[in-house]
Amino acid sequence: RQPVGLIAVDRLLTRRVHALLNSQGVVIRDETGWKLSTTRAAAAVVGLLKACAPRPGSDEVLDWLKNAPAFDGAAVQVTEAYLRRQGIGQWPLVLAETPSVQGMPDPVFGLVQSVNSLRATLAQVQGLNAWLEALQHALQVAGQWQVMAADEAGKAVNKVLMLDQHLRAQRESPALAVAMRFT
């Protein structure tokens, strides 16, 4: 056992080497300060938040859907093709810009309705505790929660956001019940 130094400028390469060494039980001392924000788990949460913004572009929502295992990949592809053909660039306008809902293919209509319903849960004004519960629910519905729970970085993201079951009591502070709006 010898110490080995690795100088990496490429974050993706650094993440891969870190994951490979970690999976082999190698003790790692990261002098650069491994950033949680560079992980796939954090990217999943950021993707969901971008998709649930008040006026996201269709590309942001489609990107999130492609990375959320619970959504049918074929329906996502049909929806993407439909949105591109119709020239619909803003997700909230999907139904508003459609001349006739009857002309919308069933898989597209069903997916849009499901996504809009899920987005609505995060759009409501609520306290931080309730909003974090809604975030966790959205991750569960999207199939991302299960993936995150099985991943070390995902567990760290859950801990930082206090989504971890053991940290839920810390969120019960009255200061965290302050109303907030996701904008």
Side-chain angles (χ1 to χ4, degrees):
R1 299 200 177 248
Q2 298 262 350
V4 175
L6 173 66
I7 299 173
V9 178
D10 184 331
R11 285 185 183 212
L12 179 60
L13 177 62
T14 303
R15 270 199 326 256
R16 288 180 180 166
V17 170
H18 190 277
L20 177 66
L21 294 174
N22 196 26
S23 71
Q24 297 300 313
V26 174
V27 177
I28 299 169
R29 190 174 81 199
D30 187 350
E31 299 296 329
T32 63
W34 175 73
K35 300 290 184 202
L36 194 56
S37 62
T38 64
T39 65
R40 186 165 292 186
V45 174
V46 169
L48 169 62
L49 294 177
K50 284 182 178 180
C52 291
R55 295 189 53 83
S58 295
D59 289 340
E60 284 84 13
V61 178
L62 290 168
D63 182 52
W64 169 63
L65 290 172
K66 290 176 184 177
N67 291 295
F71 295 102
D72 179 37
V76 173
Q77 287 179 343
V78 169
T79 301
E80 181 174 20
Y82 176 81
L83 295 176
R84 303 274 185 246
R85 268 193 320 273
Q86 298 295 319
I88 300 172
Q90 295 294 102
W91 184 266
L93 302 177
V94 169
L95 293 177
E97 288 185 6
T98 304
S100 169
V101 174
Q102 284 94 11
M104 184 182 286
D106 287 341
V108 174
F109 184 75
L111 184 63
V112 168
Q113 292 296 93
S114 296
V115 169
N116 284 345
S117 174
L118 189 59
R119 289 178 67 246
T121 64
L122 285 169
Q124 299 169 2
V125 176
Q126 38 193 310
L128 181 59
N129 285 329
W131 188 84
L132 287 170
E133 291 290 330
L135 175 64
Q136 181 176 349
H137 172 73
L139 289 166
Q140 289 169 335
V141 169
Q144 293 171 301
W145 179 259
Q146 298 80 350
V147 174
M148 289 173 61
D151 175 56
E152 287 305 313
K155 290 175 187 173
V157 169
N158 290 341
K159 184 176 179 182
V160 167
L161 293 174
M162 293 188 285
L163 297 177
D164 186 301
Q165 192 78 1
H166 305 327
L167 298 172
R168 194 163 284 154
Q170 293 178 16
R171 289 197 338 233
E172 298 305 318
S173 164
L176 295 180
V178 174
M180 56 178 277
R181 182 184 307 271
F182 182 61
T183 57

